[in-house]
């Protein structure tokens, strides 16, 4: 019997459905249509040849096989994420050409200078851009992909 080929996207959808109990929530979190998320989940169950989710219950629950499989999916995706982090952390300057950081004005004196110095040290080949903006402007920059990292604050109401 030939072993099924699995898609990382199928595994991601499965993991989010398992944690949320909902294909709709999984689709929303992953930026997919409900139909696409459902198709990914069905393709995964077809590939492994057993039901991983009890589709008749709301919220959806894992079958016993799904519980076992989820543990392995978490291990596998965790290992892959650690591998990517390890590769990137060895020499971030070799893969980050430009880094745009937007932060609230309150951090301009105490936080941004040491952050800029450390980033320049570990990423000597990268262009570093620091923007001083309000929290809502920073969020707008992030949503428009005009900033890579944003530091915002929420007012504390007393």
């Amino acid at each position: 019997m030939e072993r099924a080929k699995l898609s990382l996207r199928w595994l991601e959808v499965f993991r989010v459905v398992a944690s949320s109990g909902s294909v709709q929530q999984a689709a929303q979190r992953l930026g997919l249509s409900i139909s696409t998320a459902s198709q990914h989940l069905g393709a995964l169950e077809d590939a492994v040849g057993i039901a991983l989710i009890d589709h008749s219950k709301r919220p959806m629950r894992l079958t016993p096989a799904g519980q076992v499989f989820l543990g392995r999916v978490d291990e596998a995706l965790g290992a892959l994420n650690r591998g990517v982090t390890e590769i990137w952390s060895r020499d971030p300057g070799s893969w980050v050409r430009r880094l745009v950081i937007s932060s609230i004005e309150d951090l301009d004196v105490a936080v941004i200078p040491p952050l800029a110095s450390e980033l320049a040290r570990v990423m000597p080949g990268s262009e570093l851009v620091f923007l001083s903006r309000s929290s809502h402007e920073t969020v707008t920059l992030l949503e428009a992909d005009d900033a890579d990292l944003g530091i915002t604050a929420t007012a504390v109401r007393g």
Side-chain angles (χ1 to χ4, degrees):
M1 176 183 209
E2 185 178 328
R3 181 168 285 211
K5 294 181 181 180
L6 302 178
S7 158
L8 288 175
R9 191 53 139 179
W10 299 349
L11 299 176
E12 290 171 334
V13 169
F14 169 70
R15 184 162 66 172
V16 177
V17 168
S19 70
S20 69
S22 165
V23 173
Q24 181 177 358
Q25 286 182 22
Q28 185 178 10
R29 285 187 202 169
L30 296 169
L32 302 171
S33 70
I34 295 170
S35 173
T36 300
S38 182
Q39 288 173 2
H40 286 327
L41 187 57
L44 176 62
E45 288 182 318
D46 287 347
V48 298
I50 193 165
L52 301 171
I53 304 262
D54 183 345
H55 297 266
S56 67
K57 299 200 179 190
R58 297 292 179 266
M60 292 179 156
R61 297 204 169 134
L62 295 176
T63 63
Q67 291 174 353
V68 170
F69 192 67
L70 178 61
R72 298 300 185 201
V73 168
D74 285 341
E75 289 174 19
L77 292 178
L80 291 171
N81 287 332
R82 285 189 303 277
V84 169
T85 300
E86 185 177 328
I87 290 167
W88 286 359
S89 67
R90 289 179 188 232
D91 185 12
S94 68
W95 58 270
V96 176
R97 298 289 173 230
R98 184 170 198 259
L99 180 64
V100 179
I101 300 173
S102 178
S103 68
I104 57 175
E105 294 91 348
D106 297 350
L107 303 180
D108 285 350
V109 175
V111 175
I112 299 304
L115 175 62
S117 294
E118 182 62 16
L119 288 173
R121 185 185 69 74
V122 299
M123 301 168 60
S126 301
E127 176 188 4
L128 303 173
V129 178
F130 293 88
L131 306 173
S132 183
R133 300 289 191 272
S134 67
S135 289
H136 76 274
E137 290 172 314
T138 293
V139 170
T140 300
L141 289 169
L142 290 167
E143 289 174 341
D145 285 332
D146 291 331
D148 303 302
L149 175 67
I151 304 170
T152 65
T154 304
V156 176
R157 295 191 168 116

